[in-house]
Amino acid sequence: MASAGGAGADHSPPPRSLVFAFYLTGHGFGHATRAIEVVRHLIAAGHEVHVATAVPEFVFTAEVRSPRLRIRRAILDCGAVQADALTVDPLATLEKYREAAVMARESILMTEAEWLSSIKADLVVSDVVPIVCRVASDLDIRSVCIGNFSWDFIYAEYIMEAGYHHRSIVWQIAEDYSYCDILLRLPGYGPMPAFRNVIDVPLVVRGLRKSRSEVRKELGIEENAKVLVFNFGGQPAGWKLKQEWLPDGWICLVCGASDSQDVPPNFIKLAKDAYTPDVMAASDCMLGKIGYGTASEVLACKLPLVFVHRDYFNEEPFLRNLLEYYQSSIEMIRSDFLAGHWKPYLLRALTLQPCYNGPINGGEVVAQILQDTAVGKKCISDKSSGARRLQDAMVSGYVVQRAPGRDAGIPDWYSLSETETGAGPTSKNVATKESAASSRCIEDFEILHGDLQGLTDTIDFLKSLSELSGNDLMSPKKQRLERTAASVLFDWETEIYVARAPGRLDVMGGIADYSGSLVLQMPLREACHVAVQRNHPSKQKLWEHTKARRLENAGLVPVVQIVSFGSDLSNRAPTFNMDLSDFMDGGKPISYEKARELFCQDPSQKWAAYVAGTILVLMTELGAQFTDSISILVSSAVPEGKGVSSSASVEVATMSAIAAAYGLNIIPRDLALLCQKVENHVVGAPCGVMDQMASACGEANKLLAMVCQPAEVKELVSIPTHIRFWGLDSGIRHSVGGGDYGSVRVGTYMGRKMIKCAASDLVSESLTSGPPVQSDCYKENGMGVLKSEAALEYLCNLPPHRYEAVYAKDIPEVISGEAFSEKYGDHNDTVTVIDPKRSYSVKAPTRHPIYENFRVEAFKTLLEAGNTDEQLSALGELMYQCHNSYSACGLGSDGTDRLVNLVREMQHRKTSEGGSPSLFGAKITGGGSGGTVCVIGKNCARSCEEIAEIQRRYKAETGYLPILFDGSSPGAGKFGYLKIRRRCP
């Protein structure tokens, strides 16, 4: 690792004028503004610069006027496709990049090679276009990248979220970057493990042209007026600014407003060519979004920034950490931004004391390094950068996989200088400190009700609470926003209620739950903890913006304030708050539909529906009244999008804690049904009830055998001691709210309706036909059976032999929504809607639950058989059949198929070698379309070794190391709740 600007560096001028080929991504103006600074210094040194970019030419020519600057329009990447000013569309981005850079790759390689040869480039500079590093290497031209992030890291999470089939894009980008000779890394950087050699450089910022007084005089603003600069990179249509949004006497300078936009008298539209650094230096505060350009210039100007979180802008957490470290920013919740509740944030911003005093001459430093590199001078020290690349790889993997829980933050050591990264304690010291802290945390709280049950994760959660209660908000030490918010969430002299609910591994049953199947579910070791406290509104601790809203509403109203640990690196806001009165309309709870619309207003806070939605369901279904304010802290170790019921564990833990705090006696089964309503009606995900039932009613090391009609626990089946179940995550994000799951459910209910109609027709035919026909009908079908099938409530109550004999031949493979509705009317499912323009698969989704119920019954019976390989082989075969049936429904995925095949290969390899296999079967779980695979095998050391080998092989084939789920823990009902209070010092 090297650092720029060391003493004794040789910066003598080059022997001749050099030619630089500067490739610039078209993503945002932040890249362009820093590139302009570098280009300005290169031009001033007498060099020739050719810029290849999709950024409009005037952006450069307005800043640098020189015949030695040439602009060439070129589209070599796409950056990030934005759905709006605050949201990226991950799938659209990947698809556009594929179109721009993957499909045209061979043409780009040839075209750019010809161009670089034609201009006789001495050095290729990239910010941060990947493919040109490969072009330069092929031509034996050195290349340098400049940036605070790289696209392989940014796109990796997009793939996890929406486009796993595009994963080769990330591999190709990383490979292209690996051809780069040097990365000039800017402050606020994220992980960039593909680069071999790195030089850290200062902030690259534009200089000022006018003084504060000159700018204010030109705009007609008094010297003592408070001025806000509003900059979101262009005013999106629909943002109508209002006078009352600003504190009295404030003026807002609007950047990028359209010519047709009207603004209130206290807002001033700036000219299109207004020089933003001068405007910022003349202002007292800025409202915008975090990007490199904004972050670097507010730091340089010591200007407080109020920012609004952007969805899927994965560089944001790293820049935000940089800003918060130098006390330069606060976050405005998006709902408050859109509603115009700006005042408390702006007033608080004025109390910040930005303290960045680092160098801001990055343009000059970078230009000198580029010049030295172009003439062959050595800019990198001999010190190996392997440690840095390892750190980058660790943080990159941690961030991209979005491991939830309280520790899912950017490590403090990551963004520190290289001299500080080795200052941490050894693992032995860490272990000692962890053990001592765990002991202290139990002593810190008096447990008034409940039992820890020896659960180490619960002890860890109490430790996190203990650390919060001791937080010093005035401490200069950098803290994550979520922990800062959580530290003022509770009154530590008042009781806190803690509940715990595990995720679940779907052993058998899966999507057949909503068709009434028997299911077998194992509660996982990983769980969600929720802490709840109720306080009278007059005693409730409030965040600043909540206080301001209370003043506006002129009265004491109960509020709910929620903090979600582990959210700072995912694409959701870490906090949520609302007035409980927002759940009421005319003295009654609002409808679930209105609530769903409420939570969908802000994508970054849609997650709060899983938590706050439990309150509305309790109000609506049980008539519960909440006159006190509610503080809720959520900390989950159940990974999201892995198909192990992360959402159900949050719902069950939250409702359990609220019920305990308010003295609501709800048995676990009823609580699970209420939580299903949260997911179906408030969140809008059409799931069955097995996830919530497993989380609420499960017991450690037992399979919950439940008949989903609607939720009847049949028994708790002990897992035989010679059998073990594992979960292996495919890395493909699963969502029950996704289109595949919903369309399969629609097809299943269509099939049920068709069977009921066919049975009704047979009954009518039997009643109207003459005696001989009627007699045959009775002999073949039986009137009583037909009548029961005509009134079929759950598809799983139809035996497979009846389905095959009477109905299968008439069920179509596919039917359009319009054709079905014309012939059958409604499909009678309360949580899905038929799209008349869409075609639905019907036969496979109808067949699946009928046969799955039979498979689960057989599986449960076989579990109680003797300890033989034949028993395990039969159990494994049932799992393989289930997996194939999912695929027939369209709910398979490449990753889960690969894992199942690896298990099958392992099993057959042992058999072909004449030995006894240790693994016997596997299947996709839950809602399918990715997520986790359940594996069955012998409970022995060799099985664990083979599971580890499968993990290694899967990583070698895909680049992703599967998360392993191994172990079980009690459900929420068995855990109960803890009632705790902080001990007096």
Side-chain angles (χ1 to χ4, degrees), residues 40 263 469 471 784:
R40 186 197 314 280
V263 297
S469 67
N471 263 12

Side-chain angles (χ1 to χ4, degrees), residues 225-238:
K226 295 299 180 186
V227 177
L228 169 72
V229 56
F230 180 88
N231 190 355
F232 278 84
Q235 267 300 96

Side-chain angles (χ1 to χ4, degrees), residues 770-824:
V773 176
Q774 188 182 53
S775 177
D776 291 342
C777 185
Y778 267 97
K779 287 179 181 178
E780 184 179 350
N781 299 316
M783 179 61 76
V785 173
L786 283 174
K787 286 184 176 179
S788 68
E789 290 166 357
L792 188 67
E793 184 176 2
Y794 294 102
L795 201 50
C796 288
N797 289 340
L798 182 67
H801 77 275
R802 287 289 297 166
Y803 169 73
E804 295 292 350
V806 183
Y807 304 108
K809 62 183 182 299
D810 296 321
I811 302 295
E813 292 286 345
V814 178
I815 192 171
S816 71
E818 183 179 18
F820 177 87
S821 298
E822 287 179 359
K823 185 173 182 179
Y824 297 99

Side-chain angles (χ1 to χ4, degrees), residues 84 86-87 311 334-336 338-339 576 582 594-606:
D84 56 49
L86 297 173
T87 307
D311 295 314
R334 188 183 304 189
S335 57
D336 283 344
L338 296 174
F576 174 84
D582 291 342
K594 284 186 177 179
R596 188 160 62 249
E597 292 173 356
L598 174 68
F599 288 113
C600 286
Q601 288 177 357
D602 183 349
S604 71
Q605 293 192 321
K606 188 177 179 181

Side-chain angles (χ1 to χ4, degrees), residues 105 149 178 366 422 450 474 591 706 728 757 774 831 858 944 979:
R105 181 174 177 83
F149 69 84
S178 71
V366 168
M474 302 307 293
S591 68
M706 178 184 70
L728 286 173
C757 290
Q774 188 182 53
V831 298
C944 297
K979 181 180 178 182

Side-chain angles (χ1 to χ4, degrees), residues 114-130:
E114 291 176 353
W115 181 67
L116 289 173
S117 298
S118 70
I119 66 172
K120 296 181 172 57
D122 293 294
L123 185 72
V124 170
V125 185
S126 176
D127 185 357
V128 268
V129 181

Side-chain angles (χ1 to χ4, degrees), residues 14 90 204 225-226 253 307 325 361 376 396-397 459 463 493-494 509 609 634 775 800 861 915:
V204 177
K226 295 299 180 186
L253 306 179
F307 69 90
Y325 187 83
N361 64 332
S396 178
I459 295 172
K463 176 191 170 188
E493 296 180 359
T494 303
V634 181
S775 177
T861 302

